[in-house]
Amino acid sequence: MIWRFLSIVVAVPLSVALPITPRWGDSQVKHSWVRVPRDWYCVGPAPEGATITLRIALKPHREDALVEALYQVSDPAHERYGDHLSKAQVAALVAPHPDTIRLVHAWLDHHDIPTSSISPSHSGDWLTVSSIPISQANTLLGASYKVYQHIETNERILRTVGYSLPAALHAHVAVVAPTTYFGRPRPWRRTSHPISNGRILPHGDADFQAEIATLRGKPGSFVTVPSSCGSLITPSCLRALYNTSTYIPAATSKNSLGIAGYLDEYAIHTDLKTFMTNFRSDAITANFTVVKVNGGLDNQTDPGVEANLDIQYAESISFPTPNIYYSTAGSPPFKPDVEQRTNTNEPYLDWLDFLLNQTTIPQTISTSYGDDEQTVPLDYAQSVCTLFAQLGAMGVSVLFASGDTGVGFDCVANDGTDRTIFIPNFPATCPFVTTVGGTTGVNPETAASLSSGGFSNYFARPSYQTTVVPPFITSMGTLFKGLYNTSGRGFPDIAAQAENFQIVVGGVMEVVGGTSCSTPTAAAIVSLLNDLRISQDKPPLGFLNPLLYTSLDTAFNDITSGSNPGCGRSGFNAGVGWDPVTGLGTLDFGRLRTIVG
Ligand SMILES: *[C@@H]1O[C@H](CO)[C@@H](O)[C@H](O)[C@H]1NC(C)=O
Ligand SMILES: *[C@@H]1O[C@H](CO)[C@@H](O)[C@H](O)[C@H]1NC(C)=O
Ligand SMILES: *[C@@H]1O[C@H](CO)[C@@H](O)[C@H](O)[C@H]1NC(C)=O
Ligand SMILES: *[C@@H]1O[C@H](CO)[C@@H](O)[C@H](O)[C@H]1NC(C)=O
Ligand SMILES: *[C@@H]1O[C@H](CO)[C@@H](O)[C@H](O)[C@H]1NC(C)=O
């Protein structure tokens, strides 16, 4: 690619002169992979006439201001605890320096990108550059956008293996997307099989009814957790196990629970009704609102297993709290003749962009999707993680599934060394979300072997983990040395049941497992805590981790057995206190409410 070694005089009205006249030709690599990411192959050049919409994250003027504020309002010991920020206050903290804005605009102007196609996010921290020709994007970013196809799903995306920015911009631009993030967030759901020895039993079938009748518990009727919950999970099992059955939500006009959905997963209203009829007959009026984000659909004849699982368990634990299902466009077919929708692989950005601009945001949000951390470019992961911090600062509790791959599945480092490493997941490793691992069995619960956990290679250990995580690492000695990062953010933070969940999909009972089960379960419990707080005119809990890591002894069911094998290794062991399999343990609502209520 040829750069014009030419400095220009910027023709925008400036109140302050630019510090230097930038040399736009002095380009440096921003991010590049050593090879085409695994599972993707190039199928050809970008189609003639294709355009792309770019998002440019601008670095904030005061780098740590947002995170400082987040910790203050989230730390129960701080005088600002619960004093969450408004949209405008967040915007002020993440605002770029005026020089940053001028410089980036001058650069775009230099490449003849019209001002009319540039729009800032509501906080001014991201710029969207709409529908520019691929050739122009290639020049702008020193990129080589091509069409890549996924070996399994045949999904096609437009990406580049690397991109560059003028040296003068590196201090001002955090990331440009979509560029090098090839990953596709996957739902963390490992098994899905019909109930009853492989027979698919339609709803209404007599055998089905008989079988369900034996499994069903009357709402709140379990005093102790029946042993049947060890082999098949119902809402009654979870409500007994996590001690929520006697609580009746009281702040339902103010409190709500959000479920983030991607990849064309739809939650079905009639399936929820069937589910409630069978498992929570006092809650058959439960319903949810669908919010479509950026072209997301709501096809009520195309049930998604993940979507139904999330909604059915979130509703049955949080009822009558309003639940909102966000349908964010996930994997559109590749149409070379129209603009490649940028949401193909930037779903968090689309959804966060939408959510952060809402006047009302649910106080609790559950997301059961993720990706291998190493397949997410560092600059992209950092920028998205900062957006989760914005949600936390505004008083939202954000929960993510830890993943279903134990310590790792494909355990080869992608940095060119090909060495074996444990593979953490993103966004599970973002320090500003609460990550949920998996358990199984009852009396006692043990770690589910699928439960992903470990240590980030991108995010350092946050302050809230400085008491509980180092003792775990010390206890490991030299075991697995070099396979995991001893200074990284440890995950998960908490856990919940992850196996043998009965759900209804298209009128048919299925049994599923994965941390996709754990996450809506934990989020629903958190949402009940938020209900309690709000009904007492207290602020919601917001970012949970500083609170969770200080109520260690009393609020959790500590999980002390089981492990999360992977990478041909036995994995980490669950033990007393925090561990990278089940975190601090499972939530006991009854005990937590005495701490937060
Ligand atoms: C934010 O929402 C307002 C009101 O709904 C809308 O007018 C505005 O365009 C949105 N801004 C962005 C950046 O999406
Ligand atoms: C649930 O909500 C949807 C969409 O708002 C509506 O079409 C449907 O009739 C409702 N179902 C029940 C049982 O209220
Ligand atoms: C909804 O899903 C069904 C089943 O997958 C499909 O046949 C139908 O075309 C879809 N409808 C729309 C509008 O996409
Ligand atoms: C370990 O994590 C730290 C961040 O805490 C990071 O700077 C470092 O590069 C990581 N090491 C490896 C080998 O990935
Ligand atoms: C359930 O919560 C109550 C407080 O609401 C507490 O007294 C009780 O010990 C809890 N039960 C269990 C089994 O943890």
Side-chain angles (χ1 to χ4, degrees):
M1 97 134 306
I2 300 160
W3 287 97
R4 279 181 286 169
F5 284 92
L6 177 70
S7 298
I8 51 138
V9 179
V10 183
V12 283
L14 300 177
S15 52
V16 180
L18 287 173
I20 45 156
T21 308
R23 292 168 45 231
W24 298 127
D26 186 8
S27 109
Q28 286 176 1
V29 173
K30 182 73 174 79
H31 180 252
S32 180
W33 297 115
V34 292
R35 57 177 88 102
V36 174
R38 191 191 156 102
D39 296 342
W40 295 91
Y41 65 98
C42 182
V43 292
E48 202 58 38
T51 62
I52 191 163
T53 292
L54 298 175
R55 283 212 175 84
I56 302 173
L58 305 178
K59 291 190 177 169
H61 175 28
R62 289 185 294 149
E63 198 188 336
D64 301 323
L66 172 72
V67 169
E68 270 170 29
L70 172 71
Y71 279 122
Q72 290 177 357
V73 301
S74 312
D75 175 2
H78 199 279
E79 59 186 16
R80 281 186 72 190
Y81 182 63
D83 185 12
H84 298 124
L85 280 62
S86 66
K87 233 163 90 165
Q89 287 171 318
V90 167
L93 293 181
V94 300
H97 192 279
D99 283 348
T100 297
I101 297 169
R102 278 191 215 103
L103 205 54
V104 171
H105 277 275
W107 169 61
L108 294 172
D109 183 64
H110 172 74
H111 286 276
D112 298 325
I113 290 168
T115 316
S116 58
S117 52
I118 307 167
S119 55
S121 65
H122 67 94
S123 298
D125 54 342
W126 289 74
L127 293 180
T128 300
V129 180
S130 302
S131 304
I132 59 170
I134 293 291
S135 54
Q136 198 171 23
N138 280 338
T139 311
L140 187 71
L141 301 173
S144 177
Y145 280 95
K146 292 195 166 63
V147 180
Y148 292 89
Q149 183 160 332
H150 193 266
I151 54 167
E152 275 163 29
T153 65
N154 295 330
E155 180 187 355
R156 288 184 169 193
I157 56 172
L158 261 179
R159 290 295 184 275
T160 175
V161 173
Y163 74 107
S164 304
L165 291 175
L169 286 183
H170 280 245
H172 300 273
V173 171
V175 69
V176 182
T179 50
T180 55
Y181 177 31
F182 283 60
R184 43 194 319 279
R186 47 186 149 145
W188 293 119
R189 176 174 42 73
R190 203 153 80 151
T191 54
S192 167
H193 53 84
I195 199 171
S196 197
N197 303 323
R199 278 181 305 138
I200 295 183
L201 300 170
H203 181 62
D205 179 291
D207 289 351
F208 171 90
Q209 291 298 354
E211 181 143 10
I212 294 307
T214 63
L215 302 166
R216 178 190 321 171
K218 290 211 172 51
S221 65
F222 295 167
V223 179
T224 53
V225 183
S227 60
S228 68
C229 296
S231 50
L232 218 39
I233 291 289
T234 63
S236 299
C237 291
L238 298 174
R239 296 174 72 221
L241 192 55
Y242 300 136
N243 206 357
T244 69
S245 3
T246 56
Y247 184 73
I248 298 169
T252 57
S253 64
K254 292 181 186 150
N255 187 42
S256 64
L257 171 56
I259 307 288
Y262 303 101
L263 304 177
D264 303 332
E265 280 270 346
Y266 309 116
I268 308 301
H269 295 286
T270 51
D271 282 343
L272 177 64
K273 197 172 177 86
T274 306
F275 182 82
M276 290 302 205
T277 305
N278 280 293
F279 298 117
R280 241 204 109 168
S281 54
D282 62 330
I284 49 171
T285 56
N287 205 353
F288 56 94
T289 311
V290 177
V291 173
K292 299 174 195 168
V293 179
N294 212 15
L297 303 175
D298 178 23
N299 186 341
Q300 287 293 309
T301 61
D302 185 9
V305 174
E306 178 67 58
N308 276 318
L309 162 67
D310 292 349
I311 275 292
Q312 288 167 16
Y313 278 87
E315 284 274 7
S316 58
I317 296 168
S318 68
F319 179 82
T321 303
N323 283 206
I324 300 168
Y325 184 78
Y326 293 94
S327 174
T328 303
S331 45
F334 183 79
K335 300 195 194 90
D337 51 327
V338 296
E339 175 169 339
Q340 167 70 6
R341 285 197 276 163
T342 56
N343 52 35
T344 307
N345 279 78
E346 312 290 8
Y348 302 127
L349 278 188
D350 283 327
W351 175 73
L352 284 161
D353 208 29
F354 171 87
L355 203 66
L356 285 164
N357 192 29
Q358 300 299 297
T359 36
T360 318
I361 301 175
Q363 291 85 348
T364 314
I365 290 177
S366 173
T367 310
S368 294
Y369 294 76
D371 215 335
D372 293 354
E373 187 188 66
Q374 67 167 356
T375 68
V376 181
L378 174 64
D379 53 3
Y380 178 90
Q382 286 168 334
S383 294
V384 168
C385 186
T386 300
L387 295 175
F388 293 125
Q390 291 188 26
L391 280 175
M394 289 161 75
V396 180
S397 306
V398 181
L399 287 85
F400 268 89
S402 76
D404 296 354
T405 47
V407 290
F409 182 64
D410 298 321
C411 305
V412 183
N414 67 354
D415 58 2
T417 63
D418 287 347
R419 69 193 197 282
T420 298
I421 51 165
F422 289 170
I423 306 288
N425 297 315
F426 180 82
T429 52
C430 169
F432 311 126
V433 305
T434 298
T435 303
V436 189
T439 61
T440 189
V442 294
N443 309 321
E445 290 181 81
T446 62
S449 59
L450 57 76
S451 184
S452 288
F455 300 86
S456 176
N457 290 313
Y458 284 3
F459 300 99
R461 179 159 54 242
S463 54
Y464 57 78
Q465 289 192 325
T466 49
T467 312
V468 301
V469 172
F472 177 85
I473 288 172
T474 305
S475 77
M476 291 296 294
T478 56
L479 187 61
F480 306 145
K481 193 170 188 302
L483 294 177
Y484 72 97
N485 192 324
T486 54
S487 68
R489 183 255 204 264
F491 77 106
D493 301 300
I494 55 174
Q497 287 282 315
E499 292 182 355
N500 305 316
F501 276 50
Q502 301 180 73
I503 61 170
V504 176
V505 182
V508 175
M509 188 66 62
E510 291 189 9
V511 179
V512 297
T515 50
S516 284
C517 299
S518 322
T519 311
T521 299
I525 299 166
V526 169
S527 142
L528 295 179
L529 293 169
N530 274 328
D531 178 277
L532 176 72
R533 302 255 314 164
I534 293 165
S535 67
Q536 296 171 348
D537 287 325
K538 290 179 184 156
L541 293 169
F543 173 45
L544 296 167
N545 294 4
L547 168 75
L548 296 179
Y549 281 81
T550 52
S551 26
L552 180 63
D553 297 82
T554 52
F556 300 95
N557 307 309
D558 192 9
I559 311 300
T560 56
S561 63
S563 62
N564 59 353
C567 304
R569 306 296 201 281
S570 55
F572 296 113
N573 289 323
V576 174
W578 182 89
D579 54 70
V581 195
T582 58
L584 299 163
T586 61
L587 303 176
D588 185 300
F589 174 78
R591 280 178 277 148
L592 273 165
R593 67 177 287 184
T594 64
I595 296 172
V596 307

